[in-house]
Amino acid sequence: MIRTGSCLCGAVSYRTTGPLRDLAACHCGQCRKQSGHFYVATDSADSDLEIEGGDALTWYEASSEAKRGFCSNCGSAMFWKSNGTDKTSILLGSMDSPTGLTLDRHIFVDDKGDYYAIPDDHLSFPQDDHDDPRPPRK
Ligand SMILES: [Zn+2]
Ligand SMILES: [Zn+2]
């Protein structure tokens, strides 16, 4: 399945051509600050991801472990990349519908905001999801 997406102003767009990881919502403080709420993302192999307008993309090094890509023109948060990996996380708010994806997993729930609830029938992890029994990719 081919999926497409873009930032709000359209300067940065992308296309994915391979399988994507199951969605996760990250409720950590960094994701909440950067996105204005919590972060819902999937992962694509870098070899399956084509980014157009990369000149408009700014990568903010939020920590020594990862960087966050956003459009320098309109500010849309779009990507997250763990250093030294060959995959990129894509924020679902930037993806065009239909995505064919469903959110049912939440991570870093210990850091979530106090103004919303996580549905009871979703998987939730206090920190990361290394103990998630499900296979990482479908
Ligand atoms: Zn933009
Ligand atoms: Zn996070």
Side-chain angles (χ1 to χ4, degrees), residues 46 59-68 80-88:
D46 289 343
W59 288 96
Y60 171 64
E61 309 229 0
S63 73
S64 57
E65 278 152 46
K67 55 190 181 177
R68 293 166 182 269
W80 184 93
K81 188 162 180 57
S82 182
N83 296 333
T85 64
D86 58 359
K87 59 184 182 172
T88 298

Side-chain angles (χ1 to χ4, degrees), residues 44-96:
S44 170
D46 289 343
S47 53
D48 296 334
L49 174 64
E50 292 163 34
I51 296 175
E52 237 179 90
D55 289 355
L57 199 57
T58 296
W59 288 96
Y60 171 64
E61 309 229 0
S63 73
S64 57
E65 278 152 46
K67 55 190 181 177
R68 293 166 182 269
F70 64 93
C71 174
S72 321
N73 188 48
C74 68
S76 299
M78 300 179 75
F79 304 110
W80 184 93
K81 188 162 180 57
S82 182
N83 296 333
T85 64
D86 58 359
K87 59 184 182 172
T88 298
S89 297
I90 303 168
L91 269 77
L92 263 288
S94 68
M95 196 175 282
D96 301 325

Side-chain angles (χ1 to χ4, degrees), residues 26 28 31 68:
C26 185
C28 84
C31 287
R68 293 166 182 269

